[in-house]
Amino acid sequence: MGGTVSHKHTAILDAAYELFGSEGFYETKMSEVAERAGIAKGTVYLYFKSKEELFMAVTRRDCEDFLQRLENLLQACSTLADKLSAIAGHHLLYYYERKQHTKLFFRAPNNNPELMAYMTRFMEEYMQSVMKVMQESGAADPELLAESYIGMLDRLKMDIMLRPGCSEADAHKRAEFAAGLFIHGALGSQNVPAVHTLHEDHQDEA
């Protein structure tokens, strides 16, 4: 019984993710979600009382997956360079994978207090993860660095999402460039054979 409940719950979320992403929140009907999930419309309402609640659940699952995958990637890294590359790659590939589902972001419920509060918490958790990386590097003002890095990645993600010809290789290229640029600056990022950690740079200067 529990397995059936879990399967239906997952099927509803998967169907809603596809429809919200391709059609938008306001254009999607609960009956369409039910049809795509292969269940009765009434069953959808057993799990989610409203379309807003369903959208919230889809968003929460996606954001939690984003944070968990990032944590797993960072745990496998040992240097600042590797961690910055992992953050950039994860950020940009996340949006590349959602090129066909941009309406999850651009056609979301307007002025939904619960959704807005959740997204604020999500961004804070993401910021804390990146800030921790900056703190562990020994860099000054890790919060400002984290805000700047995420801000740069957010700008790069717009091209990936909205430019039709942008490929996965382009996403990887932008991720590596962003990591190199952040450590070495605009001039140093042009011809850098390898990205060093801040600690290594300080040792070289000494």
Side-chain angles (χ1 to χ4, degrees), residues 75-121:
Q75 287 181 357
C77 298
S78 58
T79 68
L80 175 61
D82 289 341
K83 291 178 180 179
L84 289 178
S85 293
I87 293 167
H90 181 56
H91 189 118
L92 298 184
L93 286 171
Y94 169 85
Y95 288 104
Y96 174 78
E97 292 168 358
R98 286 154 181 77
K99 280 176 68 71
Q100 306 306 317
H101 297 87
T102 57
K103 292 179 182 177
L104 279 172
F105 312 101
F106 302 128
R107 294 281 187 87
N110 293 327
N111 302 319
N112 183 307
E114 183 181 5
L115 178 62
M116 294 173 68
Y118 179 79
M119 292 309 299
T120 298
R121 292 195 302 272

mmCIF file of all heavy atoms in Angstrom, residues 75-121:
data_model
loop_
_atom_site.group_PDB
_atom_site.id
_atom_site.type_symbol
_atom_site.label_atom_id
_atom_site.label_comp_id
_atom_site.label_asym_id
_atom_site.label_seq_id
_atom_site.Cartn_x
_atom_site.Cartn_y
_atom_site.Cartn_z
ATOM 1 N N GLN A 75 31.673 17.849 -1.261
ATOM 2 C CA GLN A 75 32.340 16.889 -0.388
ATOM 3 C C GLN A 75 33.420 16.107 -1.123
ATOM 4 O O GLN A 75 34.375 15.621 -0.506
ATOM 5 C CB GLN A 75 31.319 15.924 0.221
ATOM 6 C CG GLN A 75 30.450 16.560 1.300
ATOM 7 C CD GLN A 75 29.474 15.585 1.903
ATOM 8 O OE1 GLN A 75 29.376 14.423 1.495
ATOM 9 N NE2 GLN A 75 28.723 16.039 2.911
ATOM 10 N N ALA A 76 33.277 15.991 -2.424
ATOM 11 C CA ALA A 76 34.253 15.245 -3.228
ATOM 12 C C ALA A 76 35.426 16.121 -3.671
ATOM 13 O O ALA A 76 36.368 15.620 -4.304
ATOM 14 C CB ALA A 76 33.568 14.641 -4.453
ATOM 15 N N CYS A 77 35.393 17.422 -3.343
ATOM 16 C CA CYS A 77 36.449 18.355 -3.754
ATOM 17 C C CYS A 77 37.406 18.638 -2.597
ATOM 18 O O CYS A 77 36.993 18.672 -1.434
ATOM 19 C CB CYS A 77 35.833 19.676 -4.227
ATOM 20 S SG CYS A 77 34.773 19.516 -5.671
ATOM 21 N N SER A 78 38.658 18.896 -2.937
ATOM 22 C CA SER A 78 39.651 19.179 -1.899
ATOM 23 C C SER A 78 40.233 20.583 -1.988
ATOM 24 O O SER A 78 40.717 21.119 -0.993
ATOM 25 C CB SER A 78 40.793 18.154 -1.964
ATOM 26 O OG SER A 78 41.400 18.171 -3.253
ATOM 27 N N THR A 79 40.216 21.196 -3.174
ATOM 28 C CA THR A 79 40.799 22.527 -3.331
ATOM 29 C C THR A 79 39.718 23.562 -3.609
ATOM 30 O O THR A 79 38.602 23.227 -4.034
ATOM 31 C CB THR A 79 41.810 22.559 -4.491
ATOM 32 O OG1 THR A 79 41.099 22.380 -5.727
ATOM 33 C CG2 THR A 79 42.856 21.457 -4.328
ATOM 34 N N LEU A 80 40.073 24.815 -3.409
ATOM 35 C CA LEU A 80 39.146 25.905 -3.704
ATOM 36 C C LEU A 80 38.797 25.918 -5.181
ATOM 37 O O LEU A 80 37.637 26.124 -5.553
ATOM 38 C CB LEU A 80 39.762 27.248 -3.296
ATOM 39 C CG LEU A 80 38.953 28.498 -3.658
ATOM 40 C CD1 LEU A 80 37.587 28.478 -2.983
ATOM 41 C CD2 LEU A 80 39.725 29.756 -3.305
ATOM 42 N N ALA A 81 39.795 25.681 -6.035
ATOM 43 C CA ALA A 81 39.558 25.673 -7.472
ATOM 44 C C ALA A 81 38.522 24.627 -7.840
ATOM 45 O O ALA A 81 37.605 24.886 -8.624
ATOM 46 C CB ALA A 81 40.864 25.405 -8.213
ATOM 47 N N ASP A 82 38.683 23.444 -7.285
ATOM 48 C CA ASP A 82 37.729 22.365 -7.577
ATOM 49 C C ASP A 82 36.327 22.732 -7.086
ATOM 50 O O ASP A 82 35.330 22.449 -7.760
ATOM 51 C CB ASP A 82 38.181 21.058 -6.919
ATOM 52 C CG ASP A 82 39.409 20.471 -7.588
ATOM 53 O OD1 ASP A 82 39.699 20.844 -8.739
ATOM 54 O OD2 ASP A 82 40.077 19.634 -6.950
ATOM 55 N N LYS A 83 36.257 23.335 -5.915
ATOM 56 C CA LYS A 83 34.952 23.684 -5.350
ATOM 57 C C LYS A 83 34.258 24.781 -6.163
ATOM 58 O O LYS A 83 33.056 24.715 -6.411
ATOM 59 C CB LYS A 83 35.107 24.113 -3.892
ATOM 60 C CG LYS A 83 35.491 22.958 -2.972
ATOM 61 C CD LYS A 83 35.690 23.414 -1.537
ATOM 62 C CE LYS A 83 36.074 22.234 -0.653
ATOM 63 N NZ LYS A 83 36.300 22.625 0.753
ATOM 64 N N LEU A 84 35.033 25.787 -6.590
ATOM 65 C CA LEU A 84 34.434 26.847 -7.402
ATOM 66 C C LEU A 84 33.959 26.296 -8.742
ATOM 67 O O LEU A 84 32.903 26.682 -9.244
ATOM 68 C CB LEU A 84 35.436 27.977 -7.619
ATOM 69 C CG LEU A 84 35.763 28.838 -6.394
ATOM 70 C CD1 LEU A 84 36.798 29.890 -6.755
ATOM 71 C CD2 LEU A 84 34.513 29.488 -5.833
ATOM 72 N N SER A 85 34.740 25.382 -9.324
ATOM 73 C CA SER A 85 34.337 24.752 -10.580
ATOM 74 C C SER A 85 33.078 23.921 -10.383
ATOM 75 O O SER A 85 32.175 23.910 -11.230
ATOM 76 C CB SER A 85 35.469 23.875 -11.131
ATOM 77 O OG SER A 85 36.568 24.664 -11.533
ATOM 78 N N ALA A 86 33.016 23.215 -9.243
ATOM 79 C CA ALA A 86 31.843 22.381 -8.953
ATOM 80 C C ALA A 86 30.597 23.236 -8.785
ATOM 81 O O ALA A 86 29.522 22.904 -9.300
ATOM 82 C CB ALA A 86 32.093 21.554 -7.694
ATOM 83 N N ILE A 87 30.727 24.356 -8.066
ATOM 84 C CA ILE A 87 29.586 25.256 -7.870
ATOM 85 C C ILE A 87 29.106 25.807 -9.206
ATOM 86 O O ILE A 87 27.913 25.785 -9.514
ATOM 87 C CB ILE A 87 29.968 26.405 -6.915
ATOM 88 C CG1 ILE A 87 30.213 25.875 -5.505
ATOM 89 C CG2 ILE A 87 28.865 27.476 -6.906
ATOM 90 C CD1 ILE A 87 30.886 26.881 -4.584
ATOM 91 N N ALA A 88 30.047 26.293 -10.017
ATOM 92 C CA ALA A 88 29.681 26.887 -11.301
ATOM 93 C C ALA A 88 29.051 25.850 -12.230
ATOM 94 O O ALA A 88 28.031 26.111 -12.869
ATOM 95 C CB ALA A 88 30.913 27.511 -11.957
ATOM 96 N N GLY A 89 29.680 24.680 -12.306
ATOM 97 C CA GLY A 89 29.146 23.638 -13.172
ATOM 98 C C GLY A 89 27.766 23.201 -12.748
ATOM 99 O O GLY A 89 26.860 23.033 -13.577
ATOM 100 N N HIS A 90 27.576 23.036 -11.454
ATOM 101 C CA HIS A 90 26.276 22.613 -10.942
ATOM 102 C C HIS A 90 25.212 23.671 -11.218
ATOM 103 O O HIS A 90 24.105 23.350 -11.673
ATOM 104 C CB HIS A 90 26.386 22.358 -9.439
ATOM 105 C CG HIS A 90 25.107 21.904 -8.803
ATOM 106 N ND1 HIS A 90 24.408 20.806 -9.237
ATOM 107 C CD2 HIS A 90 24.392 22.414 -7.763
ATOM 108 C CE1 HIS A 90 23.320 20.643 -8.489
ATOM 109 N NE2 HIS A 90 23.291 21.614 -7.599
ATOM 110 N N HIS A 91 25.544 24.918 -10.966
ATOM 111 C CA HIS A 91 24.608 26.024 -11.161
ATOM 112 C C HIS A 91 24.169 26.115 -12.621
ATOM 113 O O HIS A 91 22.972 26.152 -12.936
ATOM 114 C CB HIS A 91 25.283 27.329 -10.734
ATOM 115 C CG HIS A 91 24.372 28.513 -10.683
ATOM 116 N ND1 HIS A 91 24.124 29.209 -9.523
ATOM 117 C CD2 HIS A 91 23.658 29.158 -11.652
ATOM 118 C CE1 HIS A 91 23.299 30.206 -9.767
ATOM 119 N NE2 HIS A 91 23.003 30.201 -11.065
ATOM 120 N N LEU A 92 25.142 26.136 -13.538
ATOM 121 C CA LEU A 92 24.821 26.361 -14.941
ATOM 122 C C LEU A 92 24.210 25.134 -15.611
ATOM 123 O O LEU A 92 23.313 25.261 -16.451
ATOM 124 C CB LEU A 92 26.072 26.820 -15.689
ATOM 125 C CG LEU A 92 26.664 28.152 -15.192
ATOM 126 C CD1 LEU A 92 27.837 28.578 -16.052
ATOM 127 C CD2 LEU A 92 25.603 29.253 -15.168
ATOM 128 N N LEU A 93 24.672 23.947 -15.244
ATOM 129 C CA LEU A 93 24.089 22.742 -15.830
ATOM 130 C C LEU A 93 22.676 22.490 -15.311
ATOM 131 O O LEU A 93 21.835 21.922 -16.014
ATOM 132 C CB LEU A 93 24.987 21.534 -15.565
ATOM 133 C CG LEU A 93 26.263 21.513 -16.404
ATOM 134 C CD1 LEU A 93 27.205 20.402 -15.932
ATOM 135 C CD2 LEU A 93 25.947 21.333 -17.884
ATOM 136 N N TYR A 94 22.420 22.905 -14.089
ATOM 137 C CA TYR A 94 21.065 22.811 -13.544
ATOM 138 C C TYR A 94 20.082 23.535 -14.460
ATOM 139 O O TYR A 94 19.021 23.006 -14.811
ATOM 140 C CB TYR A 94 21.033 23.415 -12.146
ATOM 141 C CG TYR A 94 19.650 23.629 -11.572
ATOM 142 C CD1 TYR A 94 18.979 22.598 -10.920
ATOM 143 C CD2 TYR A 94 19.012 24.861 -11.674
ATOM 144 C CE1 TYR A 94 17.710 22.796 -10.392
ATOM 145 C CE2 TYR A 94 17.746 25.067 -11.146
ATOM 146 C CZ TYR A 94 17.099 24.031 -10.502
ATOM 147 O OH TYR A 94 15.844 24.233 -9.988
ATOM 148 N N TYR A 95 20.442 24.752 -14.877
ATOM 149 C CA TYR A 95 19.559 25.515 -15.741
ATOM 150 C C TYR A 95 19.608 25.017 -17.182
ATOM 151 O O TYR A 95 18.597 25.093 -17.897
ATOM 152 C CB TYR A 95 19.894 27.007 -15.659
ATOM 153 C CG TYR A 95 19.469 27.601 -14.342
ATOM 154 C CD1 TYR A 95 20.397 27.879 -13.338
ATOM 155 C CD2 TYR A 95 18.130 27.858 -14.079
ATOM 156 C CE1 TYR A 95 19.996 28.399 -12.118
ATOM 157 C CE2 TYR A 95 17.719 28.385 -12.865
ATOM 158 C CZ TYR A 95 18.660 28.639 -11.890
ATOM 159 O OH TYR A 95 18.265 29.148 -10.682
ATOM 160 N N TYR A 96 20.763 24.508 -17.607
ATOM 161 C CA TYR A 96 20.816 23.928 -18.956
ATOM 162 C C TYR A 96 19.844 22.752 -19.066
ATOM 163 O O TYR A 96 19.139 22.604 -20.072
ATOM 164 C CB TYR A 96 22.235 23.461 -19.280
ATOM 165 C CG TYR A 96 22.302 22.735 -20.601
ATOM 166 C CD1 TYR A 96 22.307 23.443 -21.803
ATOM 167 C CD2 TYR A 96 22.313 21.341 -20.644
ATOM 168 C CE1 TYR A 96 22.326 22.781 -23.021
ATOM 169 C CE2 TYR A 96 22.336 20.670 -21.859
ATOM 170 C CZ TYR A 96 22.345 21.397 -23.043
ATOM 171 O OH TYR A 96 22.349 20.732 -24.247
ATOM 172 N N GLU A 97 19.815 21.922 -18.032
ATOM 173 C CA GLU A 97 18.918 20.765 -18.029
ATOM 174 C C GLU A 97 17.451 21.179 -18.032
ATOM 175 O O GLU A 97 16.573 20.370 -18.351
ATOM 176 C CB GLU A 97 19.203 19.888 -16.805
ATOM 177 C CG GLU A 97 20.564 19.201 -16.860
ATOM 178 C CD GLU A 97 20.954 18.579 -15.532
ATOM 179 O OE1 GLU A 97 20.179 18.723 -14.554
ATOM 180 O OE2 GLU A 97 22.029 17.967 -15.462
ATOM 181 N N ARG A 98 17.171 22.422 -17.694
ATOM 182 C CA ARG A 98 15.797 22.913 -17.629
ATOM 183 C C ARG A 98 15.469 23.891 -18.755
ATOM 184 O O ARG A 98 14.519 24.662 -18.649
ATOM 185 C CB ARG A 98 15.549 23.558 -16.252
ATOM 186 C CG ARG A 98 15.434 22.494 -15.164
ATOM 187 C CD ARG A 98 15.805 23.003 -13.790
ATOM 188 N NE ARG A 98 15.684 21.933 -12.820
ATOM 189 C CZ ARG A 98 16.574 20.945 -12.676
ATOM 190 N NH1 ARG A 98 17.660 20.906 -13.447
ATOM 191 N NH2 ARG A 98 16.398 20.003 -11.766
ATOM 192 N N LYS A 99 16.243 23.841 -19.826
ATOM 193 C CA LYS A 99 15.999 24.736 -20.967
ATOM 194 C C LYS A 99 14.594 24.567 -21.538
ATOM 195 O O LYS A 99 14.007 25.513 -22.048
ATOM 196 C CB LYS A 99 17.038 24.472 -22.075
ATOM 197 C CG LYS A 99 18.381 25.132 -21.838
ATOM 198 C CD LYS A 99 19.373 24.765 -22.904
ATOM 199 C CE LYS A 99 19.013 25.338 -24.257
ATOM 200 N NZ LYS A 99 19.193 26.804 -24.316
ATOM 201 N N GLN A 100 14.062 23.366 -21.441
ATOM 202 C CA GLN A 100 12.716 23.114 -21.963
ATOM 203 C C GLN A 100 11.645 23.322 -20.891
ATOM 204 O O GLN A 100 10.464 23.060 -21.132
ATOM 205 C CB GLN A 100 12.632 21.686 -22.506
ATOM 206 C CG GLN A 100 13.689 21.340 -23.537
ATOM 207 C CD GLN A 100 13.713 22.319 -24.704
ATOM 208 O OE1 GLN A 100 12.654 22.717 -25.209
ATOM 209 N NE2 GLN A 100 14.901 22.724 -25.123
ATOM 210 N N HIS A 101 12.077 23.752 -19.715
ATOM 211 C CA HIS A 101 11.128 23.931 -18.612
ATOM 212 C C HIS A 101 11.293 25.309 -17.966
ATOM 213 O O HIS A 101 11.161 25.470 -16.762
ATOM 214 C CB HIS A 101 11.336 22.840 -17.557
ATOM 215 C CG HIS A 101 11.079 21.459 -18.071
ATOM 216 N ND1 HIS A 101 12.051 20.719 -18.697
ATOM 217 C CD2 HIS A 101 9.967 20.702 -18.074
ATOM 218 C CE1 HIS A 101 11.544 19.551 -19.056
ATOM 219 N NE2 HIS A 101 10.277 19.522 -18.706
ATOM 220 N N THR A 102 11.581 26.298 -18.787
ATOM 221 C CA THR A 102 11.856 27.635 -18.254
ATOM 222 C C THR A 102 10.653 28.266 -17.561
ATOM 223 O O THR A 102 10.814 29.157 -16.725
ATOM 224 C CB THR A 102 12.313 28.581 -19.382
ATOM 225 O OG1 THR A 102 11.296 28.611 -20.401
ATOM 226 C CG2 THR A 102 13.615 28.097 -20.000
ATOM 227 N N LYS A 103 9.437 27.797 -17.898
ATOM 228 C CA LYS A 103 8.254 28.417 -17.295
ATOM 229 C C LYS A 103 8.082 28.046 -15.827
ATOM 230 O O LYS A 103 7.243 28.613 -15.135
ATOM 231 C CB LYS A 103 7.016 28.053 -18.115
ATOM 232 C CG LYS A 103 7.044 28.716 -19.490
ATOM 233 C CD LYS A 103 5.853 28.364 -20.342
ATOM 234 C CE LYS A 103 5.967 29.022 -21.716
ATOM 235 N NZ LYS A 103 4.850 28.656 -22.612
ATOM 236 N N LEU A 104 8.897 27.104 -15.351
ATOM 237 C CA LEU A 104 8.948 26.862 -13.902
ATOM 238 C C LEU A 104 9.412 28.121 -13.188
ATOM 239 O O LEU A 104 9.035 28.382 -12.044
ATOM 240 C CB LEU A 104 9.916 25.717 -13.576
ATOM 241 C CG LEU A 104 9.413 24.291 -13.742
ATOM 242 C CD1 LEU A 104 10.567 23.316 -13.576
ATOM 243 C CD2 LEU A 104 8.324 23.986 -12.720
ATOM 244 N N PHE A 105 10.236 28.907 -13.873
ATOM 245 C CA PHE A 105 10.813 30.107 -13.267
ATOM 246 C C PHE A 105 10.090 31.379 -13.708
ATOM 247 O O PHE A 105 9.954 32.326 -12.936
ATOM 248 C CB PHE A 105 12.296 30.201 -13.645
ATOM 249 C CG PHE A 105 13.053 28.919 -13.449
ATOM 250 C CD1 PHE A 105 13.348 28.099 -14.520
ATOM 251 C CD2 PHE A 105 13.433 28.516 -12.172
ATOM 252 C CE1 PHE A 105 14.030 26.901 -14.340
ATOM 253 C CE2 PHE A 105 14.106 27.322 -11.981
ATOM 254 C CZ PHE A 105 14.414 26.510 -13.077
ATOM 255 N N PHE A 106 9.643 31.406 -14.971
ATOM 256 C CA PHE A 106 9.087 32.638 -15.532
ATOM 257 C C PHE A 106 7.568 32.668 -15.564
ATOM 258 O O PHE A 106 6.986 33.698 -15.890
ATOM 259 C CB PHE A 106 9.638 32.855 -16.946
ATOM 260 C CG PHE A 106 11.133 32.926 -16.989
ATOM 261 C CD1 PHE A 106 11.859 32.140 -17.861
ATOM 262 C CD2 PHE A 106 11.822 33.778 -16.139
ATOM 263 C CE1 PHE A 106 13.245 32.200 -17.900
ATOM 264 C CE2 PHE A 106 13.210 33.847 -16.165
ATOM 265 C CZ PHE A 106 13.930 33.059 -17.050
ATOM 266 N N ARG A 107 6.911 31.550 -15.261
ATOM 267 C CA ARG A 107 5.448 31.518 -15.201
ATOM 268 C C ARG A 107 4.989 30.894 -13.891
ATOM 269 O O ARG A 107 4.123 30.030 -13.862
ATOM 270 C CB ARG A 107 4.891 30.713 -16.385
ATOM 271 C CG ARG A 107 5.123 31.338 -17.748
ATOM 272 C CD ARG A 107 4.129 32.449 -18.044
ATOM 273 N NE ARG A 107 4.264 32.933 -19.415
ATOM 274 C CZ ARG A 107 3.645 32.415 -20.459
ATOM 275 N NH1 ARG A 107 2.840 31.376 -20.282
ATOM 276 N NH2 ARG A 107 3.805 32.898 -21.662
ATOM 277 N N ALA A 108 5.597 31.309 -12.810
ATOM 278 C CA ALA A 108 5.264 30.797 -11.479
ATOM 279 C C ALA A 108 4.120 31.618 -10.884
ATOM 280 O O ALA A 108 3.793 32.690 -11.394
ATOM 281 C CB ALA A 108 6.496 30.868 -10.573
ATOM 282 N N PRO A 109 3.489 31.117 -9.815
ATOM 283 C CA PRO A 109 2.404 31.881 -9.172
ATOM 284 C C PRO A 109 2.887 33.253 -8.716
ATOM 285 O O PRO A 109 3.951 33.369 -8.104
ATOM 286 C CB PRO A 109 2.023 31.004 -7.969
ATOM 287 C CG PRO A 109 2.495 29.654 -8.312
ATOM 288 C CD PRO A 109 3.724 29.824 -9.153
ATOM 289 N N ASN A 110 2.134 34.277 -9.009
ATOM 290 C CA ASN A 110 2.508 35.633 -8.617
ATOM 291 C C ASN A 110 2.148 35.914 -7.163
ATOM 292 O O ASN A 110 1.055 35.591 -6.713
ATOM 293 C CB ASN A 110 1.793 36.659 -9.509
ATOM 294 C CG ASN A 110 2.265 36.592 -10.948
ATOM 295 O OD1 ASN A 110 3.416 36.296 -11.208
ATOM 296 N ND2 ASN A 110 1.357 36.851 -11.876
ATOM 297 N N ASN A 111 3.087 36.515 -6.450
ATOM 298 C CA ASN A 111 2.823 37.001 -5.089
ATOM 299 C C ASN A 111 2.277 35.924 -4.152
ATOM 300 O O ASN A 111 1.400 36.189 -3.323
ATOM 301 C CB ASN A 111 1.844 38.180 -5.135
ATOM 302 C CG ASN A 111 2.366 39.316 -5.988
ATOM 303 O OD1 ASN A 111 3.546 39.649 -5.934
ATOM 304 N ND2 ASN A 111 1.486 39.913 -6.777
ATOM 305 N N ASN A 112 2.780 34.711 -4.298
ATOM 306 C CA ASN A 112 2.400 33.640 -3.384
ATOM 307 C C ASN A 112 3.317 33.718 -2.165
ATOM 308 O O ASN A 112 4.518 33.437 -2.278
ATOM 309 C CB ASN A 112 2.538 32.276 -4.078
ATOM 310 C CG ASN A 112 2.088 31.128 -3.196
ATOM 311 O OD1 ASN A 112 2.542 30.986 -2.062
ATOM 312 N ND2 ASN A 112 1.216 30.285 -3.709
ATOM 313 N N PRO A 113 2.809 34.119 -1.006
ATOM 314 C CA PRO A 113 3.675 34.335 0.163
ATOM 315 C C PRO A 113 4.474 33.095 0.561
ATOM 316 O O PRO A 113 5.656 33.200 0.911
ATOM 317 C CB PRO A 113 2.683 34.726 1.268
ATOM 318 C CG PRO A 113 1.479 35.233 0.540
ATOM 319 C CD PRO A 113 1.396 34.411 -0.711
ATOM 320 N N GLU A 114 3.849 31.923 0.525
ATOM 321 C CA GLU A 114 4.545 30.698 0.922
ATOM 322 C C GLU A 114 5.688 30.388 -0.042
ATOM 323 O O GLU A 114 6.792 30.039 0.384
ATOM 324 C CB GLU A 114 3.560 29.528 0.958
ATOM 325 C CG GLU A 114 4.212 28.229 1.447
ATOM 326 C CD GLU A 114 3.252 27.057 1.452
ATOM 327 O OE1 GLU A 114 2.102 27.223 0.984
ATOM 328 O OE2 GLU A 114 3.648 25.972 1.897
ATOM 329 N N LEU A 115 5.430 30.538 -1.329
ATOM 330 C CA LEU A 115 6.466 30.277 -2.326
ATOM 331 C C LEU A 115 7.604 31.279 -2.194
ATOM 332 O O LEU A 115 8.783 30.901 -2.237
ATOM 333 C CB LEU A 115 5.867 30.344 -3.731
ATOM 334 C CG LEU A 115 6.845 30.126 -4.891
ATOM 335 C CD1 LEU A 115 7.455 28.735 -4.826
ATOM 336 C CD2 LEU A 115 6.139 30.340 -6.230
ATOM 337 N N MET A 116 7.259 32.549 -2.017
ATOM 338 C CA MET A 116 8.296 33.570 -1.889
ATOM 339 C C MET A 116 9.141 33.347 -0.644
ATOM 340 O O MET A 116 10.374 33.504 -0.679
ATOM 341 C CB MET A 116 7.640 34.954 -1.857
ATOM 342 C CG MET A 116 6.958 35.334 -3.167
ATOM 343 S SD MET A 116 6.017 36.887 -3.068
ATOM 344 C CE MET A 116 7.348 38.077 -2.855
ATOM 345 N N ALA A 117 8.512 32.943 0.453
ATOM 346 C CA ALA A 117 9.249 32.678 1.688
ATOM 347 C C ALA A 117 10.162 31.473 1.517
ATOM 348 O O ALA A 117 11.312 31.473 1.993
ATOM 349 C CB ALA A 117 8.273 32.444 2.843
ATOM 350 N N TYR A 118 9.651 30.449 0.839
ATOM 351 C CA TYR A 118 10.474 29.252 0.634
ATOM 352 C C TYR A 118 11.682 29.563 -0.243
ATOM 353 O O TYR A 118 12.800 29.130 0.052
ATOM 354 C CB TYR A 118 9.656 28.125 -0.010
ATOM 355 C CG TYR A 118 10.514 26.907 -0.243
ATOM 356 C CD1 TYR A 118 10.826 26.029 0.806
ATOM 357 C CD2 TYR A 118 11.077 26.663 -1.488
ATOM 358 C CE1 TYR A 118 11.658 24.943 0.606
ATOM 359 C CE2 TYR A 118 11.910 25.580 -1.698
ATOM 360 C CZ TYR A 118 12.192 24.714 -0.647
ATOM 361 O OH TYR A 118 13.031 23.642 -0.852
ATOM 362 N N MET A 119 11.479 30.321 -1.327
ATOM 363 C CA MET A 119 12.588 30.642 -2.215
ATOM 364 C C MET A 119 13.632 31.509 -1.519
ATOM 365 O O MET A 119 14.822 31.401 -1.796
ATOM 366 C CB MET A 119 12.064 31.350 -3.472
ATOM 367 C CG MET A 119 11.234 30.452 -4.389
ATOM 368 S SD MET A 119 12.055 28.880 -4.801
ATOM 369 C CE MET A 119 13.525 29.479 -5.647
ATOM 370 N N THR A 120 13.178 32.345 -0.601
ATOM 371 C CA THR A 120 14.124 33.135 0.198
ATOM 372 C C THR A 120 14.983 32.215 1.056
ATOM 373 O O THR A 120 16.210 32.393 1.150
ATOM 374 C CB THR A 120 13.372 34.132 1.096
ATOM 375 O OG1 THR A 120 12.644 35.054 0.270
ATOM 376 C CG2 THR A 120 14.340 34.913 1.977
ATOM 377 N N ARG A 121 14.355 31.206 1.674
ATOM 378 C CA ARG A 121 15.113 30.243 2.491
ATOM 379 C C ARG A 121 16.064 29.421 1.633
ATOM 380 O O ARG A 121 17.208 29.155 2.025
ATOM 381 C CB ARG A 121 14.158 29.319 3.244
ATOM 382 C CG ARG A 121 13.338 29.997 4.320
ATOM 383 C CD ARG A 121 12.687 28.993 5.263
ATOM 384 N NE ARG A 121 11.817 28.056 4.572
ATOM 385 C CZ ARG A 121 10.525 28.280 4.321
ATOM 386 N NH1 ARG A 121 9.971 29.443 4.681
ATOM 387 N NH2 ARG A 121 9.785 27.387 3.705
#
